[in-house]
């Protein structure tokens, strides 16, 4: 075989090897170094650069063989100029190049990198050998190489874009406030973000690979695992999106109400390939809406009762065929007045709640006697208490120090505690009211011997519309707003309200109000003439027996 033919064959073999090595490379930086090294070697060059177009079409050098990176910037205008004049560099160009690179350059060849008829960049190869210009054969081999390189570079760039997008997507998923998980074709979790970890208490390392139903088991009304009895993804005729909502129990026992939206992927034959699941924690909204429902049912029941009593009495009095005795008329009118008063009180407490929620409950502060206020309230409520076999024992001395607070609103707090003591003491008994001083505050305490408040309800009875679920709840009227308002008023006056209680033994509600005369340093907390005694019905710590 002639030497020329043998050389060509060698070249083709090398080209083939280089091509297959190039197409296997997906890391763009390594690929570009590989391409430029191969181009220089293939054309027996001295040095070379590879320049690619950015999104605006400007050429930038990305890799070079035997040319330090410091020179790349100076070479860039040369690459851009070179593309206009084709393959032949002028003597001036060569001079410029020698100056920039500080090597003797005698020939330059530029290979255009084309992909789908679009130029994506250039490879420039420089030769310093004397009298050895690039032959036509060199040009052919190099242009075949350039075609392969253009494909490999485009693939690597696409791959790089894909990887970047994947990372971007992963970051969005990870940082999403909502829980996000991805399920595979067997309903197993393949991705699980931070919000999901927080929501379920499952670490992603444990959750990934497990069935979705095991990690995020949504409960039905009957407490069954919805995902096992009626998986939303396996329902017949389910479209490409579906939803489910319900309670889940996190690993640490926390209960959360979630809303899941599933985006389902299927193949052409409609087989399930997987799903993207967005999980939103709507516990707070759920509680709010349950509260609203309770509110509407309680309000309609509570307001209807006095209205129907008023109507019944008024209708009876209005009957033309009956002549009523004056005392019968007076008694009936008295009932109407009382019911109307109750209605007014209930409406006022609702208004107070809405004012409080709008932050529009102004306080009118003045200095007044707690003894007088409680004495008046007890006198006013005594008849109602007597009907329930309850006696008030006022254990506050008349000279108890004055407080500075909103008198009318504090009266509402006292009335509420006293009426509750009556309402929730079905077997009667004494209700004691005492006062003490603590750290510049007056502490007022109302103790009864009623049904008590179970420990699990004690922190919640101060919440809006919260009523302990017992027989009395149905028998006793109420919105579950009294203690909520009491706490709002007390806290607005920088005080606190709390309860100590034992079921079936009674409750002890206390609240604090600022004293008018601030505490003098070193002053004793003891009020010598105050009657705060623990009766035989109370424990040593003062809680009712
Ligand atoms: P209401 O009495 O209208 O239901 P409150 O906010 O005043 O609303 O009280 C909330 C709940 O706290 C009541 O429903 C009751 O279950 C409980 N509660 C309040 N005071 C007492 C008390 N003295 N003894 C026992 N339970 C009480």
């Amino acid at each position: 075989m002639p030497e020329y033919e043998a050389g060509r064959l060698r070249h083709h073999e090398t080209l083939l090897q280089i091509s297959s090595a190039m197409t296997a490379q997906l890391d763009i930086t390594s690929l570009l170094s590989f391409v430029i090294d191969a181009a220089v070697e293939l054309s027996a060059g001295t040095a070379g650069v590879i320049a690619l177009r950015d999104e605006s079409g400007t050429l930038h050098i990305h890799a070079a063989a035997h040319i330090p990176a410091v020179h790349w910037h100076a070479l860039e205008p040369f690459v851009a100029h070179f593309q206009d004049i084709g393959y032949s560099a002028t003597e001036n160009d060569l001079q410029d190049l020698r100056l920039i690179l500080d090597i003797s350059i005698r020939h330059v060849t530029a290979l255009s990198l084309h992909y789908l008829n679009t130029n994506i960049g250039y490879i420039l190869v420089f030769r310093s050998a004397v009298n050895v210009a690039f032959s036509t054969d060199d040009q052919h081999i190099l242009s075949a190489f350039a075609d392969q390189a253009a494909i490999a570079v485009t693939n690597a760039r696409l791959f790089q874009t894909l990887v970047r997008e994947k990372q971007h997507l992963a970051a969005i998923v990870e940082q999403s406030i909502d829980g996000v998980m991805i399920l595979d074709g067997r309903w197993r979790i393949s991705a699980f973000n931070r919000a999901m970890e927080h929501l379920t208490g499952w670490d992603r390392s444990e959750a990934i690979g497990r069935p979705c139903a095991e990690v995020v088991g949504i409960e039905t009304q009957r407490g069954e695992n919805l995902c096992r009895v009626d998986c939303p993804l396996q329902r017949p005729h389910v479209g490409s999106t579906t939803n489910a909502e319900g309670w889940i129990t996190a690993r640490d026992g926390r209960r959360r109400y979630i809303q899941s939206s599933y985006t389902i992927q299927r193949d052409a034959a409609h087989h399930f390939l997987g799903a993207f699941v967005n999980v939103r924690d709507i516990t707070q909204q759920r509680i709010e809406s349950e509260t609203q429902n309770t509110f509407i049912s309680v309000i309609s029941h509570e307001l209807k009762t006095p209205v129907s009593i008023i109507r019944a009495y008024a209708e009876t009095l209005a009957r033309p065929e009956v002549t009523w005795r004056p005392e019968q008329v007076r008694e009936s009118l008295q009932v109407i007045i009382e019911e109307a008063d109750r209605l007014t009180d209930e409406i006022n407490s609702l208004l107070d709640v809405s004012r409080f929620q709008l932050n529009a409950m102004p306080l009118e502060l003045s200095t007044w006697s707690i003894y007088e206020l409680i004495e008046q309230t007890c006198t006013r409520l005594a008849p109602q208490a007597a009907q329930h076999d309850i006696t008030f024992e006022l254990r506050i001395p008349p000279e108890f120090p004055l407080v500075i607070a909103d008198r009318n609103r504090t009266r509402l707090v006292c009335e509420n505690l006293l009426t509750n003591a009556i309402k929730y003491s079905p077997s009667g008994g004494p209700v004691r009211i005492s006062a003490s001083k603590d750290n510049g505050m007056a502490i007022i305490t109302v103790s009864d011997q009623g049904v008590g408040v179970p420990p699990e309800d004690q922190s919640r009875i101060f919440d809006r519309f919260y009523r302990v679920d017992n027989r009395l709840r149905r028998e006793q009227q109420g919105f579950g707003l009294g203690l909520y308002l009491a706490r709002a008023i007390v806290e607005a006056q920088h005080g606190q309200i709390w309860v100590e209680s034992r079921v079936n033994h009674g409750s002890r509600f206390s609240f604090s109000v600022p004293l008018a005369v601030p505490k003098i340093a070193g002053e004793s907390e003891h009020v010598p003439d105050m009657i705060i005694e623990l009766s035989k019905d109370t424990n040593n710590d003062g809680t009712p027996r």
Side-chain angles (χ1 to χ4, degrees):
M1 187 187 298
E3 201 185 313
Y4 167 74
E5 286 295 320
R8 265 185 81 123
L9 204 65
R10 240 190 354 266
H11 266 146
H12 282 294
E13 271 167 15
T14 322
L15 194 59
L16 222 74
Q17 277 165 9
I18 291 174
S19 296
S20 65
M22 261 189 319
T23 38
Q25 278 275 11
L26 281 175
D27 170 43
I28 187 86
T29 318
S30 333
L31 174 75
L32 292 175
S33 321
F34 180 86
V35 167
I36 193 63
D37 286 346
V40 170
E41 204 195 308
L42 206 64
S43 54
T46 313
V49 291
I50 178 160
L52 297 178
R53 291 189 189 282
D54 64 15
E55 275 154 18
S56 68
T58 316
L59 286 161
H60 292 290
I61 294 179
H62 283 258
H66 313 300
I67 296 176
V70 284
H71 298 318
W72 292 6
H73 188 61
L75 270 181
E76 273 167 7
F78 183 81
V79 181
H81 160 72
F82 200 82
Q83 66 180 329
D84 295 333
I85 56 164
Y87 288 125
S88 47
T90 63
E91 191 45 42
N92 279 349
D93 293 333
L94 294 175
Q95 285 280 1
D96 288 348
L97 279 171
R98 284 178 202 128
L99 274 176
I100 297 170
L101 302 176
D102 200 21
I103 44 175
S104 64
I105 294 176
R106 293 199 169 76
H107 305 280
V108 182
T109 192
L111 304 169
S112 174
L113 296 173
H114 267 84
Y115 183 75
L116 297 178
N117 293 331
T118 310
N119 171 272
I120 60 161
Y122 287 94
I123 294 175
L124 299 194
V125 179
F126 310 116
R127 257 186 194 172
S128 6
V130 194
N131 292 334
V132 191
F134 286 98
S135 66
T136 323
D137 196 39
D138 286 343
Q139 295 286 8
H140 280 143
I141 294 206
L142 283 172
S143 94
F145 167 79
D147 289 346
Q148 291 301 311
I151 295 169
V153 168
T154 308
N155 283 347
R157 274 180 139 185
L158 272 176
F159 181 73
Q160 197 185 31
T161 311
L162 273 178
V163 168
R164 216 179 301 123
E165 271 171 15
K166 197 173 167 235
Q167 283 167 346
H168 187 59
L169 206 67
I172 293 174
V173 166
E174 181 61 14
Q175 279 154 27
S176 159
I177 300 171
D178 287 344
V180 174
M181 59 178 178
I182 297 173
L183 306 181
D184 67 14
R186 291 162 60 226
W187 300 278
R188 285 175 193 276
I189 298 168
S190 61
F192 201 73
N193 76 346
R194 200 172 4 176
M196 282 306 292
E197 289 186 316
H198 185 72
L199 195 68
T200 60
W202 281 80
D203 203 86
R204 80 187 60 181
S205 58
E206 289 177 278
I208 289 176
R210 283 182 198 266
C212 167
E214 188 184 331
V215 178
V216 195
I218 302 176
E219 277 176 27
T220 63
Q221 296 278 14
R222 282 189 277 153
E224 292 162 325
N225 187 333
L226 175 87
C227 308
R228 296 207 197 279
V229 295
D230 177 27
C231 171
L233 297 172
Q234 296 180 56
R235 284 178 195 148
H237 315 300
V238 69
S240 58
T241 57
T242 183
N243 297 303
E245 67 173 60
W247 290 97
I248 60 163
T249 307
R251 255 185 152 183
D252 57 6
R254 273 178 307 131
R255 303 263 300 152
R256 315 299 306 161
Y257 195 84
I258 60 154
Q259 195 174 52
S260 301
S261 320
Y262 306 83
T263 308
I264 302 169
Q265 288 116 38
R266 296 183 197 282
D267 63 12
H270 234 66
H271 295 128
F272 179 77
L273 291 178
F276 182 90
V277 193
N278 188 282
V279 184
R280 184 161 283 188
D281 180 356
I282 54 164
T283 314
Q284 206 45 45
Q285 288 102 299
R286 176 75 187 180
I287 291 173
E288 286 283 319
S289 91
E290 277 176 3
T291 307
Q292 294 299 340
N293 291 343
T294 316
F295 172 68
I296 290 164
S297 59
V298 168
I299 218 169
S300 34
H301 174 255
E302 291 298 311
L303 294 182
K304 255 165 75 183
T305 315
V307 170
S308 46
I309 295 175
I310 291 172
R311 194 185 162 83
Y313 272 87
E315 263 175 6
T316 316
L317 286 181
R319 277 164 63 184
E321 73 281 11
V322 189
T323 318
W324 301 102
R325 278 181 284 119
E327 64 270 22
Q328 283 177 312
V329 174
R330 230 184 349 265
E331 273 168 25
S332 301
L333 288 175
Q334 189 55 37
V335 173
I336 290 176
I337 291 169
E338 279 167 15
E339 291 302 316
D341 282 350
R342 209 174 92 197
L343 209 54
T344 312
D345 284 349
E346 287 179 343
I347 291 169
N348 279 342
S349 69
L350 286 172
L351 285 174
D352 271 343
V353 170
S354 68
R355 277 194 208 112
F356 172 65
Q357 281 175 339
L358 292 172
N359 268 341
M361 188 159 67
L363 292 177
E364 284 177 27
L365 299 185
S366 60
T367 305
W368 44 270
S369 155
I370 199 91
Y371 166 80
E372 274 175 24
L373 178 93
I374 298 206
E375 206 251 354
Q376 284 166 11
T377 315
C378 287
T379 310
R380 209 170 72 77
L381 295 176
Q384 189 186 334
Q387 283 175 7
H388 293 84
D389 277 340
I390 283 169
T391 49
F392 287 136
E393 289 181 13
L394 179 57
R395 300 184 167 203
I396 306 176
E399 60 279 16
F400 188 86
L402 301 182
V403 293
I404 179 160
D406 185 317
R407 193 174 189 278
N408 267 334
R409 300 216 178 270
T410 315
R411 183 176 51 79
L412 279 179
V413 177
C414 297
E415 269 179 16
N416 181 259
L417 296 187
L418 289 173
T419 42
N420 276 354
I422 301 170
K423 269 163 61 176
Y424 301 107
S425 300
S427 341
V431 168
R432 300 196 176 95
I433 308 106
S434 59
S436 65
K437 289 200 299 173
D438 181 36
N439 211 17
M441 305 292 273
I443 315 283
I444 325 301
T445 301
V446 176
S447 319
D448 63 52
Q449 295 181 358
V451 291
V453 183
E456 64 276 16
D457 293 303
Q458 287 180 14
S459 61
R460 303 190 62 191
I461 52 173
F462 298 97
D463 291 347
R464 228 167 17 140
F465 309 126
Y466 193 82
R467 309 191 74 206
V468 178
D469 195 6
N470 54 22
R471 185 175 53 83
L472 278 182
R473 173 185 162 140
R474 287 174 285 281
E475 287 174 5
Q476 292 298 336
Q477 285 158 344
F479 283 148
L481 286 178
L483 290 179
Y484 170 73
L485 275 174
R487 186 179 62 178
I489 294 167
V490 169
E491 288 181 352
Q493 301 183 148
H494 306 291
Q496 285 179 316
I497 186 164
W498 65 97
V499 62
E500 299 147 275
S501 183
R502 278 176 59 201
V503 173
N504 295 329
H505 285 74
S507 310
R508 191 178 150 103
F509 282 84
S510 306
F511 69 96
S512 52
V513 192
L515 286 166
V517 183
K519 194 183 132 200
I520 301 159
E523 186 196 14
S524 157
E525 292 294 328
H526 180 62
V527 184
D529 53 354
M530 220 166 66
I531 323 157
I532 305 176
E533 51 183 48
L534 298 174
S535 77
K536 58 183 183 330
D537 299 317
T538 46
N539 295 314
N540 287 345
D541 61 358
T543 51
R545 281 205 186 139

